[in-house]
Every structure is written in structure tokens, then in C-alpha cells.
Amino acid sequence: MDSLRHPDLVEMAGDLRHVIDAVLGAEQAAAAVAHRRLRTLRDVLIEAEDRGAVVKIDTPNGPREGRPIVGADHVVVGSSVVPFDSISQVRLR
């Protein structure tokens, strides 16, 4: 008999697999929560850019709407360059 196929070891391996899967699920959920809580305005706009989403950005000079192109300290929406520090609100469409 193969010692690695012992019935006790097979059962134990299955139990360990369930525990590992549960821990992995909990870690992935915790990482998703941490990501949502720690992401910056730039992160949100980069995710919108990656998805090709349309955003509406409120600024002191009025709203801007379009697909974002994100820079280091600004976002381009349509033909407008909007510095991050002048954005008051972002809505994803």
C-alpha cells in the first residue's frame, strides 16, 4: 500500500483543503475591503479609464464629462485638463 494513499491521510488532506480554501476566501475578501478603503481619487479614475467608463467630474469651472485619461496629478476629460485638487466630485456612468 502506498503510504501517501492511506485512508487517514486522504481524509486529512481533504480537511486541510477545506481550511485552506476558507482562509483564502477570507484573505481575498479582506484584501478587497482594504483596496476599497485605501484607494485614492487617482485609483478610481485609473479604474474608470481601464474600463473605458464615462465619468462626470464637477469642478469650480463647471462639470466635465467623458472618458478619462489619467496623468500623475491631473485627468484629461474630453478636451479639458483637470488637476486633481480642483475636483469636487466624480460620478461614474
Side-chain angles (χ1 to χ4, degrees), residues 29-84:
V33 168
H35 173 71
R36 282 193 308 272
R37 290 181 180 171
L38 298 175
R39 67 184 179 171
T40 63
L41 173 62
R42 186 171 187 270
D43 295 333
V44 171
L45 290 169
I46 287 173
E47 290 171 10
E49 179 182 17
D50 290 346
R51 287 194 316 264
V54 174
V55 297
K56 184 173 183 182
I57 297 175
D58 291 337
T59 70
N61 298 326
R64 305 287 187 260
E65 189 168 348
R67 287 189 167 77
I69 300 171
V70 181
D73 61 352
H74 67 280
V75 61
V76 178
V77 179
S79 60
S80 300
V81 176
V82 182
F84 288 145

